């Protein structure tokens, strides 16, 4: 390993595996190797909301509402949660590469993500156990107002196997219900809406609703569901009529409270 990989600090991370000092030691090593403003480590599960393992930022706004709004249901619209649902391979992922094509135009971005002041994110992603995924996200925010350069991304990519191996080793005891299928977010949303509001959506309408809230365009929704963009537009029109709304913003504020099981 080259000198710029800070071997002394990496050694401290290795020695801290299994202790309360692991996350801090990991941050210290990453801080010596990469340039970032904040770090957040989150575990996703099949059978329950995510668990926030560690956060640190220079500005409090970044994680100000993570325990309430994010864990309370907003995580279901997070592109990084989508990595967990898709069971992607371990590696390094950039938010802009995995986010839907209209992510910055959706209400999740406007009402939650934009308030974090985040301008860029890189996620070291791994799955230490069946049904469990962990993202170690380093980000840029209003502290510097910058984005990760090509050099920054290359360094992060080089160390990703080491970061993910350490994370798997430290949190290898996390478990999800192995007999639980991946969460059917659209199906759960459909059921809760019917129970709480009397609005009964078709399976396809609930799928389109969720993809709209995530920030997918009609073309992207069509590619995801294997239908034409024109069919998507017809379903979306039917969805809005059924919900008695006329905009994506209204759809978000109608549906957001029923994304998680916390509203009955």
């Amino acid at each position: 390993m080259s000198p710029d990989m800070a071997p002394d600090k990496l050694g401290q991370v290795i020695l801290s595996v299994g202790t309360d000092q692991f996350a801090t030691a990991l941050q210290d090593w990453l801080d010596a190797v990469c340039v970032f403003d904040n770090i957040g480590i989150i575990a996703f599960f099949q059978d329950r909301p995510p668990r926030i393992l560690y956060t640190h930022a220079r500005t409090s706004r970044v994680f100000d509402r993570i325990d309430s709004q994010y864990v309370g249901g907003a995580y279901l619209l997070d592109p990084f949660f989508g990595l967990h649902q898709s069971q992607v391979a371990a590696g390094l992922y950039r938010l802009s590469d995995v986010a839907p094509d209209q992510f910055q135009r959706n209400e999740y971005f406007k009402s939650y993500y934009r308030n974090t002041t985040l301008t860029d994110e890189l996620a070291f992603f791994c799955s230490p156990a069946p049904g469990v995924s962990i993202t170690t996200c380093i980000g840029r925010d209003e502290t510097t107002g910058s984005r990760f350069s090509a050099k920054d991304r290359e360094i992060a990519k080089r160390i990703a196997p080491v970061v993910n191996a350490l994370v798997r080793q430290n949190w290898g005891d996390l478990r999800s219900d192995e007999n639980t299928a991946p969460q059917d977010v659209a199906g759960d949303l459909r059921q809760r809406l019917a129970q709480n509001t009397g609005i009964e959506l078709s399976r396809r309408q609930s799928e389109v609703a969720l993809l709209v809230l995530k920030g997918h365009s009609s073309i992207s929704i069509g590619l995801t569901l294997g239908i034409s963009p024109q069919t998507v537009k017809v379903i979306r029109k039917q969805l809005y009529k059924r919900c008695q709304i006329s905009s994506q913003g209204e759809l978000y504020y109608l549906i957001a409270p029923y994304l998680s099981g916390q509203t009955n």
Side-chain angles (χ1 to χ4, degrees), residues 18-252:
T19 73
D20 293 339
Q21 287 73 48
F22 174 77
T24 302
L26 179 63
Q27 177 194 328
D28 288 344
W29 173 53
L30 288 174
D31 202 30
V33 176
C34 306
V35 179
F36 56 92
D37 300 328
N38 60 75
I39 180 172
I41 306 176
I42 302 174
F44 295 113
F45 305 92
Q46 299 289 77
D47 55 345
R48 58 188 183 277
R51 174 181 166 189
I52 309 303
L53 300 175
Y54 181 78
T55 61
H56 182 272
R58 301 177 190 178
T59 175
S60 62
R61 290 182 63 186
V62 177
F63 299 115
D64 186 45
R65 293 187 290 172
I66 194 169
D67 289 315
S68 56
Q69 190 171 350
Y70 184 83
V71 174
Y75 75 92
L76 294 167
L77 304 178
D78 185 352
F80 289 145
F81 176 68
L83 298 180
H84 166 74
Q85 287 186 302
S86 300
Q87 300 179 335
V88 301
L92 179 77
Y93 295 86
R94 190 182 190 184
L95 179 67
S96 58
D97 292 335
V98 300
D101 56 348
Q102 293 186 353
F103 177 67
Q104 294 191 5
R105 295 172 59 183
N106 72 356
E107 287 299 321
Y108 165 76
F109 180 88
K110 295 176 183 178
S111 68
Y112 176 78
Y113 195 87
R114 185 163 57 190
N115 290 327
T116 67
T117 79
L118 285 161
T119 56
D120 205 358
E121 280 189 279
L122 297 175
F124 302 96
F125 178 90
C126 66
S127 299
V132 180
S133 301
I134 296 179
T135 56
T136 302
C137 295
I138 55 174
R140 297 280 179 83
D141 55 50
E142 66 179 2
T143 304
T144 59
S146 62
R147 297 176 64 82
F148 290 108
S149 66
K151 181 180 179 181
D152 294 327
R153 299 194 299 273
E154 180 58 31
I155 291 173
K157 185 177 180 180
R158 286 172 57 194
I159 65 172
V162 180
V163 174
N164 287 328
L166 290 166
V167 167
R168 284 197 301 268
Q169 188 68 24
N170 188 71
W171 282 295
D173 60 341
L174 291 180
R175 291 292 181 270
S176 188
D177 187 343
E178 295 184 26
N179 296 318
T180 302
Q183 188 174 1
D184 181 7
V185 180
D188 292 344
L189 173 61
R190 180 185 177 195
Q191 183 179 33
R192 292 189 193 108
L193 272 178
Q195 290 176 342
N196 291 276
T197 70
I199 298 174
E200 296 188 359
L201 303 180
S202 68
R203 174 71 192 187
R204 189 62 95 190
Q205 286 170 344
S206 64
E207 291 172 340
V208 169
L210 186 62
L211 290 170
V212 167
L213 295 187
K214 288 182 177 181
H216 289 268
S217 65
S218 293
I219 293 176
S220 179
I221 292 173
L223 291 172
T224 301
L225 298 180
I227 57 180
S228 71
Q230 188 59 40
T231 299
V232 173
K233 292 178 181 178
V234 171
I235 296 172
R236 188 167 179 169
K237 184 176 181 180
Q238 294 170 341
L239 167 67
Y240 283 17
K241 183 177 181 179
R242 183 70 59 87
C243 295
Q244 297 184 330
I245 59 174
S246 59
S247 69
Q248 192 257 101
E250 289 180 284
L251 181 67
Y252 176 83

